Every structure is written in C-alpha cells, then in structure tokens.
Amino acid sequence: YCAACHGLDAKGHGPARAALKIPAADLTTLAKRHGGEFPTDLVTNVLRFGPGLAAHGSSDMPTWGGIFQYMDNYNQAAVQKRIKNLCDYLVSLQEK
C-alpha cells in the first residue's frame, strides 16, 4: 500500500509521487528526523487517523485505519496488529 507513493525502498520515490501536492516522505529517516528515536506514537496515529488536513484542502495520504478496519471486518485487534507490523517494518528500515 505504501510503495505507490513512498517507493519500494520507502525513500519517497514511488510511481505516484508526481501526482502528489506534497512529495511523499522518506520513511527511512523518521528516526533521524526525530532525534534518533523512532516516533512510534506519531506513526501509529498517522496510520490510524491520517496525517491531518493540509493547509489548503485534504491530505494526499489515505487514512489507513479506516481502510484496515473495513479489510479486517472491524476487528480492532487485527487492525492494531496490522499497524504494529507496519511500524515494526518501518523501524527495520531506518538509516543507521
């Protein structure tokens, strides 16, 4: 789901990037941009609720929490596990 915008390497160079108002973030530098600590709570909230509204219009990033709820038949435990797995994967991609 993320690769369309963030790319297969999560560096923000996915094929849909050209269509975005704001370029997709490099997800491999999240810890670096947050003082060396992976921002688990921030990432979890962005995945669950979306990044918030842009100053002029809606965000390009989908709100995955609602999509995951639908996909998992509104099973909150499954949604939380899916989001935790995504966070764990992103932690593993962080630049050293």
Side-chain angles (χ1 to χ4, degrees):
Y1 302 109
C2 307
C5 297
H6 295 282
L8 292 176
D9 62 0
K11 292 186 178 282
H13 302 291
R17 181 182 181 160
L20 301 175
K21 293 177 205 131
I22 299 171
D26 179 346
L27 300 178
T28 68
T29 62
L30 286 166
K32 180 179 177 181
R33 290 183 277 135
H34 289 88
E37 191 77 26
F38 185 80
T40 302
D41 290 341
L42 172 67
V43 173
T44 297
N45 284 330
V46 167
L47 289 169
R48 287 186 65 212
F49 307 115
L53 297 179
H56 301 285
S58 64
S59 168
D60 285 330
M61 184 170 160
T63 302
W64 290 107
I67 295 167
F68 293 156
Q69 285 185 48
Y70 177 77
M71 290 170 57
D72 292 322
N73 294 316
Y74 298 91
N75 178 333
Q76 291 303 314
V79 172
Q80 290 172 355
K81 180 66 173 169
R82 188 183 294 268
I83 290 173
K84 182 185 182 318
N85 288 344
L86 276 169
C87 283
D88 290 348
Y89 176 66
L90 291 173
V91 167
S92 76
L93 297 179
Q94 297 307 292
E95 288 182 356
K96 302 298 179 218

